[in-house]
Amino acid sequence: MAKVRETRIGLVELVVRRALAVWVVGTLCALPFDLGAAVGLALGGGLGIGSVLLYRGLARAWLRPERRRRGKYVLALLWVVKWPVLGGLLYVGLRFGQASPVWVCVGVGLVPAVVAGVGVWTLLVPDWDRKATLELR
């Protein structure tokens, strides 16, 4: 069990930080030029980053020792509820909001793009994992 507590999930933290930065900067840069693009990017990026954060929480809850798994059932319920909530947000954002469908897709693709960029970066910088170790608590 000691190895589970020291699972290296710092790469996920790195992706989340980078994706948040790109999401905020991209949305703020698009805002003065095209409201539909900014709203679509904000909606799609929020959905993608929110999903990653939920999966990170689920992984942390399930990897904890048995005595500390209280929150895993709440997170599992959130995972089930996530799909209707995502569908509702997309419906409202595209039907009644100003969101551009193309920019929603760009926003959803933001996290995979950041994952690819971080993957290339980890290949170019061999000692990245010294900073990326995160102990589960």
Side-chain angles (χ1 to χ4, degrees), residues 70-83:
R70 290 174 272 171
K72 74 177 181 179
Y73 299 110
V74 173
L75 287 169
L77 179 65
L78 282 175
W79 181 77
V80 171
V81 172
K82 173 184 101 165
W83 298 108

Side-chain angles (χ1 to χ4, degrees), residues 98-111:
Q98 299 284 333
S100 166
V102 172
W103 283 98
V104 170
C105 294
V106 170
V108 170
L110 184 78
V111 172

Side-chain angles (χ1 to χ4, degrees), residues 82-105:
K82 173 184 101 165
W83 298 108
V85 169
L86 288 179
L89 285 173
L90 285 172
Y91 177 76
V92 169
L94 293 172
R95 177 77 167 108
F96 303 111
Q98 299 284 333
S100 166
V102 172
W103 283 98
V104 170
C105 294

Side-chain angles (χ1 to χ4, degrees), residues 6-27:
E6 294 181 28
T7 302
R8 293 179 186 266
I9 59 171
L11 189 58
V12 175
E13 298 296 328
L14 186 64
V15 166
V16 168
R17 283 194 308 266
R18 299 290 194 274
L20 280 171
V22 171
W23 179 48
V24 169
V25 169
T27 301

